[in-house]
Amino acid sequence: MSKNNKELILSAPLSGPVLTLASVPDAVFASGAMGDGIAIDPLNDTLHAPCDGEVIHVARTGHAVTLRADNGAELLLHLGLDTVELQGDGFSMLVKVGARVSNGQPLLRYDLDKVARRCKSLVSLLVITNGEHFQARPITLKGVNVGEPLMHLIATTPGGTQDSEQDGGIEVRGQIRIAHRGGLHARPAALVRQTARRFKSRSHLHFDGRSAACDSVMGLMGLAIAEQAEVHVSCRGSDAEAALQALLATLSTALAEETQAAAPVARPQRHPAEDGVLQGVLAAPGLVAGPLVRLGAIELPDDVGGHDIQAQHQRLELALEQVSDEIRCTLDHARIRGDHNEEAIFDAHLALLEDPILLDAAHLAIDQGHGAPHAWSQSIEAQCQVLQQLGSALLAERANDLRDLRQRVLRALLGEACSFDVAAGSIVAAQELTPSDLLQLSAQGVAGVCMAEGGATSHVAILARGKGLPCLVALGPQLLTQASGQTVVLDADGGRLELAPTAERLARVQQAQSQHAARRARQQILAHTPARTLDDVHIEVAANVASSTEAAQALANGADGVGLLRTEFLFVDRHTAPDEAEQCQAYQAVLDAMGDKPVIIRTIDVGGDKQLDYLPLPAEANPVLGLRGIRLAQARPELLDQQLRALLQTRPLERCRILLPMVTEVDELLHIRQRLDALAAELGVKERPQLGVMIEVPAAALLAEQLAEHADFLSIGTNDLSQYTLAMDRDHAGLAARVDALHPALLRLIAQTCTGAAKHGRGVGVCGALASDPLATPVLVGLGVRELSVSPSQIGEIKARVRHLDTVKCACLSAELLNLGSAAAVRRACHQHWPLG
């Protein structure tokens, strides 16, 4: 029955009780990996067409048939579970591929008793395999007879009807082996989804006789594809070939697990039982003592029923929107800080939050009479069970990401506070913390965390290592019986949680902590003195900051100035641009926070890969090569003019230095200098701040001598310079580990920049991540860099590193590194010449 070109009422293909997919006793179908739909436990022996359409596939074993409805929906009708193993025995197909069928027409018959005795279950499925373009709503969840209305199907995008008509025969296929470590878990699945959504074509992944749409993370994970498994990819649409090649590249490029860049993770080891000690698995190293604080999960109130269904749908949508905004804010700040691990984790969370399998299951539960909190919780728990039943330890760990979303959305729904009341110095115990929990607890200054469950490769473990927070996982249920308040020792390195440490043991731990604190204190004291090499060359060690608060912390940590103020902090996470007065106030606050130290302020660097809600820009095939940095300022000059006017009004102006991003030629610099002069004249400002250029594209490095003639200083952004030189997107999860700024090609560009700047007496700084790498400090000093802008917490460490160097020796050895063949070779040589520790 068709209501119009987009809407379709599907009739029951069988008679019997109706079930939701989530209740089907099969992990693949229940997960939605095959698509959205509904199930019937049949009482009759004939499968009928649920609508008018064309037969596009008939199973070789006669147990399933696929129709394409007139509105483009592709409907898989699957009789029973695991019936493919019957090899057609008991089935009789009544139609052929290409046949035109009408609503209610018999499609296949089967021997009810024979099949029922030999298959796993007779429960049969009606699944929309291209459901990414359709919204499916059950009309009834009671018993039906053949031909009665069963499901309402609405085409939600042009792809549901138009693409099927225009591109019906345009399909390409390819096959590839999965290169991602651990298979297709959350982050690589999110990467596949991100790739697929760049194209108009509909894409599916096929594995072991099952399929999933490439824009569903849950569907992809539900396929349980292991590392090195061979999969097939199909793409249909106007740009199918380009989509196929992009997806094959994504699937075949190994995802660089964040753990590679972190401390090695110990294999699970079980030591002999010891009284008063719980054995766990190292997730993040460290040794701490403190009071134990036990955290519990959110408890749902009873679902009393009688809800206004529409109100509950709206309530869930508002909560999802709130959490989505929170995650996007976390992502924005992670990008500004350059924290790629955190960015990748919450990118995957955002993809899961938008996953149709989760959303449809929750809304269906609301339709069945549940309140929004219970509907959301049921949807999450159903998918967690699916992941845990797929036989993959890694996928079971990734269920924790779903529980994170459960907690966050429930807090939004129930109005509960999102922060924990935990004192600094506590050791937190929980069944399983989520990534969001970990970030909150770290910000509150807890000493360590331990979990009854969890794994050493979980996202929580990755974040804990990044935060330097000792963490033990897999301690077992006994952890949850421990009383809060007791003093414990968390020896993450030894895999031990000591529940009743002796006074002597606590004294030893306290001594170790005191020694560590003393080293930090000595570094802190020395951090406020200049960093001079053994041959008395001064190296300025400044800080990268993104707010006046971070600037104050940097000054307290001994920063010689701000080497990079990322002004994006003013522009993100808001619906309108900051005006001139707000910008001036913010920049002045940073200058005031830094006392008498200089502050380098980079003009806004958004566009392309960093979008703003209030600055709509055209979609770009390759954002990192598109309209961003100074190029955006050229396209929208009013933005830069407003920012320059605000900067010109800061005082004292001689401490304010302006840095221009993404410059590729001298004319761009000269144009901005002319604008700066004109705006200063308009404001009656006689002074001029120093104007510098970021060296972050190879063209700028190669033109460093010419740029230095007109710039007051040069600052090398090694993050972007690395990706442009190596032709590797630094935000690409599969390539991140290979984007290493110690690559000899990068070092050659840095050397050329320093040589060109020296001809005009200009200083060169490095404000990219390489400056914060102690292993790279001697190399950068040897190549001629005289300013390093680092993370505020590393100022003391980098200054201490500088004080042990001789610039002449560094220059000689660094020159040799330029002739090596890889970043790995450079790092080996650095460890040999300038060992850490």
Side-chain angles (χ1 to χ4, degrees):
M1 235 183 337
S2 178
K3 296 179 67 177
N4 55 44
N5 191 41
K6 287 191 174 183
E7 298 188 33
L8 185 66
I9 302 296
L10 300 179
S11 59
L14 296 160
S15 298
V18 179
L19 310 171
T20 63
L21 280 192
S23 60
V24 171
D26 181 281
V28 175
F29 283 115
S31 72
M34 298 289 286
D36 195 8
I38 205 161
I40 296 176
D41 197 354
L43 301 176
N44 62 319
D45 64 357
T46 304
L47 179 74
H48 298 258
C51 62
D52 296 342
E54 177 188 356
V55 178
I56 61 173
H57 183 262
V58 170
R60 176 183 57 82
T61 53
H63 70 288
V65 58
T66 303
L67 306 181
R68 180 178 293 127
D70 292 338
N71 72 342
E74 295 177 2
L75 311 174
L76 168 65
L77 298 156
H78 193 286
L79 203 294
L81 301 178
D82 291 349
T83 42
V84 66
E85 297 178 6
L86 302 185
Q87 295 297 308
D89 188 16
F91 295 94
S92 177
M93 187 64 66
L94 305 177
V95 293
K96 296 181 179 180
V97 173
R100 177 77 187 176
V101 298
S102 57
N103 184 27
Q105 179 177 334
L107 301 176
L108 72 85
R109 289 195 177 94
Y110 67 105
D111 186 324
L112 185 62
D113 292 335
K114 187 176 191 178
V115 173
R117 287 195 303 269
R118 298 173 60 194
C119 73
K120 176 181 177 181
S121 169
L122 272 181
V123 169
S124 301
L125 296 303
L126 189 164
V127 176
I128 302 94
T129 59
N130 61 342
E132 65 270 23
H133 297 297
F134 296 89
Q135 182 182 69
R137 294 288 186 215
I139 293 174
T140 179
L141 289 173
K142 299 178 180 179
V144 291
N145 293 314
V146 169
E148 292 181 349
L150 178 68
M151 178 175 285
H152 190 190
L153 197 62
I154 303 172
T156 56
T157 70
T161 53
Q162 298 169 16
D163 283 359
S164 296
E165 294 164 5
Q166 295 173 2
D167 305 322
I170 304 175
E171 181 176 89
V172 293
R173 287 178 170 264
Q175 64 186 63
I176 200 73
R177 288 193 179 277
I178 298 294
H180 300 286
R181 290 180 58 202
L184 213 59
H185 52 88
R187 274 171 290 125
L191 190 62
V192 171
R193 172 183 180 267
Q194 182 184 47
T195 302
R197 295 183 74 178
R198 286 166 32 202
F199 302 93
K200 297 177 182 178
S201 298
R202 301 192 304 275
S203 303
H204 287 78
L205 204 60
H206 310 273
F207 174 67
D208 196 23
R210 297 165 291 163
S211 302
C214 288
D215 69 348
S216 171
V217 173
M218 279 306 310
L220 293 170
M221 287 199 296
L223 295 178
I225 302 174
E227 183 179 355
Q228 292 302 310
E230 188 173 275
V231 300
H232 288 76
V233 183
S234 66
C235 301
R236 172 177 291 164
S238 56
D239 54 1
E241 185 60 43
L244 177 65
Q245 295 307 317
L247 286 166
L248 292 178
T250 298
L251 292 164
S252 63
T253 304
L255 175 68
E257 290 286 343
E258 295 90 339
T259 51
Q260 289 181 342
V265 176
R267 295 286 181 185
Q269 294 182 5
R270 293 297 176 192
H271 302 280
E274 187 177 344
D275 288 342
V277 175
L278 298 182
Q279 299 288 346
V281 176
L282 165 66
L287 173 67
V288 290
L292 189 71
V293 175
R294 191 155 53 85
L295 298 181
I298 292 177
E299 295 293 333
L300 283 177
D302 292 336
D303 194 351
V304 295
H307 304 289
D308 181 327
I309 291 178
Q310 190 58 40
Q312 294 302 312
H313 282 304
Q314 185 176 11
R315 185 182 175 195
L316 178 59
E317 289 297 334
L318 289 173
L320 291 169
E321 184 177 349
Q322 176 184 327
V323 174
S324 179
D325 288 344
E326 292 171 359
I327 294 176
R328 291 181 193 279
C329 182
T330 300
L331 279 171
D332 285 338
H333 290 294
R335 289 182 181 121
I336 289 172
R337 296 195 314 273
D339 190 331
H340 299 303
N341 283 348
E342 188 174 318
E343 184 181 347
I345 289 168
F346 286 99
D347 256 331
H349 281 206
L350 191 60
L352 287 170
L353 194 68
E354 299 169 351
D355 197 280
I357 292 174
L358 290 174
L359 300 181
D360 289 351
H363 283 294
L364 179 58
I366 290 175
D367 288 337
Q368 294 171 348
H370 293 289
H374 286 267
W376 178 250
S377 185
Q378 288 175 19
S379 172
I380 292 290
E381 287 307 315
Q383 297 307 320
C384 286
Q385 290 178 19
V386 168
L387 292 181
Q388 290 166 340
Q389 292 169 4
L390 289 174
S392 165
L394 190 59
L395 286 177
E397 283 185 2
R398 294 306 180 252
N400 196 32
D401 294 288
L402 291 175
R403 295 193 183 98
D404 191 326
L405 295 177
R406 175 186 181 273
Q407 298 287 86
R408 295 185 73 150
V409 175
L410 286 180
R411 284 174 183 144
L413 285 166
L414 301 174
E416 295 197 12
C418 292
S419 59
F420 302 109
D421 184 18
V422 178
S426 300
I427 294 175
V428 172
Q431 180 169 346
E432 191 166 23
L433 293 168
T434 70
S436 299
D437 296 338
L438 194 285
L439 292 185
Q440 292 175 19
L441 292 168
S442 175
Q444 290 177 262
V446 302
V449 294
C450 49
M451 294 178 276
E453 299 180 0
T457 62
S458 69
H459 287 165
V460 171
I462 292 168
L463 291 175
R465 289 192 290 275
K467 299 293 183 183
L469 197 62
C471 178
L472 270 183
V473 297
L475 285 156
Q478 191 177 348
L479 174 67
L480 305 180
T481 66
Q482 305 305 313
S484 290
Q486 61 180 310
T487 299
V488 298
V489 169
L490 176 60
D491 180 4
D493 299 291
R496 298 159 50 91
L497 180 68
E498 301 170 21
L499 303 174
T502 64
E504 182 182 359
R505 172 59 169 161
L506 286 173
R508 290 200 305 271
V509 173
Q510 183 61 47
Q511 183 180 17
Q513 290 178 305
S514 297
Q515 290 173 346
H516 177 72
R519 284 195 300 272
R520 296 281 297 185
R522 287 195 298 271
Q523 281 190 340
Q524 186 70 4
I525 294 172
L526 292 174
H528 290 269
T529 60
R532 294 190 173 277
T533 63
L534 296 172
D535 51 342
D536 203 33
V537 175
H538 178 236
I539 306 297
E540 186 174 320
V541 181
N544 296 331
V545 304
S547 68
S548 58
T549 300
E550 290 186 10
Q553 293 171 349
L555 183 66
N557 284 344
D560 297 328
V562 168
L564 176 65
L565 172 67
R566 303 178 181 95
T567 58
E568 294 78 35
F569 80 95
L570 269 173
F571 293 83
V572 300
D573 193 28
R574 56 189 299 160
H575 300 296
T576 58
D579 60 22
E580 185 178 315
E582 183 182 352
Q583 289 192 53
C584 182
Q585 182 180 12
Y587 305 145
Q588 188 64 55
V590 175
L591 282 167
D592 293 343
M594 287 305 297
D596 60 351
K597 309 293 185 183
V599 175
I600 296 176
I601 301 177
R602 184 179 68 188
T603 59
I604 184 172
D605 184 16
V606 297
D609 60 334
K610 290 181 259 185
Q611 295 282 351
L612 302 176
D613 292 341
Y614 51 85
L615 185 64
L617 295 170
E620 297 180 285
N622 197 334
V624 297
L625 299 180
L627 196 63
R628 55 170 299 200
I630 204 69
R631 303 167 192 169
L632 176 63
Q634 292 167 336
R636 297 288 299 271
E638 71 280 4
L639 287 175
L640 183 60
D641 281 358
Q642 184 183 59
Q643 189 168 31
L644 293 177
R645 279 195 296 269
L647 289 166
L648 284 166
Q649 295 174 67
T650 58
R651 296 292 181 270
L653 199 52
E654 63 267 17
R655 286 204 294 112
C656 176
R657 301 173 183 175
I658 300 174
L659 183 61
L660 304 176
M662 295 298 293
V663 171
T664 58
E665 57 187 34
V666 174
D667 285 349
E668 291 173 325
L669 170 60
L670 293 177
H671 172 72
I672 301 302
R673 190 175 284 284
Q674 289 170 359
R675 287 302 303 153
L676 191 65
D677 289 340
L679 293 170
E682 289 178 15
L683 294 170
V685 176
K686 295 182 180 179
E687 296 176 86
R688 298 289 186 275
Q690 288 189 27
L691 185 64
V693 168
M694 282 201 79
I695 306 297
E696 51 188 338
V697 296
L702 297 171
L703 286 176
E705 181 179 345
Q706 289 77 12
L707 288 168
E709 183 179 354
H710 303 282
D712 297 305
F713 63 96
L714 304 180
S715 184
I716 302 173
T718 54
N719 299 349
D720 271 323
L721 187 59
S722 298
Q723 73 170 344
Y724 292 129
T725 302
L726 301 177
M728 294 181 185
D729 184 351
R730 62 189 173 97
D731 291 330
H732 189 298
L735 297 174
R738 296 179 59 189
V739 185
D740 190 336
L742 277 180
H743 192 287
L746 266 295
L747 299 185
R748 286 171 176 262
L749 290 175
I750 294 171
Q752 183 163 346
T753 299
C754 293
T755 300
K759 292 183 178 179
H760 297 283
R762 308 301 189 197
V764 176
V766 172
C767 60
L770 192 65
S772 296
D773 185 350
L775 193 65
T777 304
V779 184
L780 296 175
V781 170
L783 294 178
V785 173
R786 292 298 177 261
E787 185 229 26
L788 300 170
S789 191
V790 306
S791 169
S793 63
Q794 291 183 277
I795 292 168
E797 180 183 11
I798 298 299
K799 282 192 172 185
R801 183 77 160 153
V802 167
R803 295 186 185 108
H804 290 86
L805 301 176
D806 179 282
T807 57
V808 176
K809 182 179 179 181
C810 286
C812 293
L813 293 174
S814 295
E816 297 177 5
L817 301 181
L818 303 183
N819 298 317
L820 296 178
S822 68
V826 171
R827 287 192 175 274
R828 286 194 296 270
C830 289
H831 279 293
Q832 180 180 353
H833 296 319
W834 304 286
L836 295 169

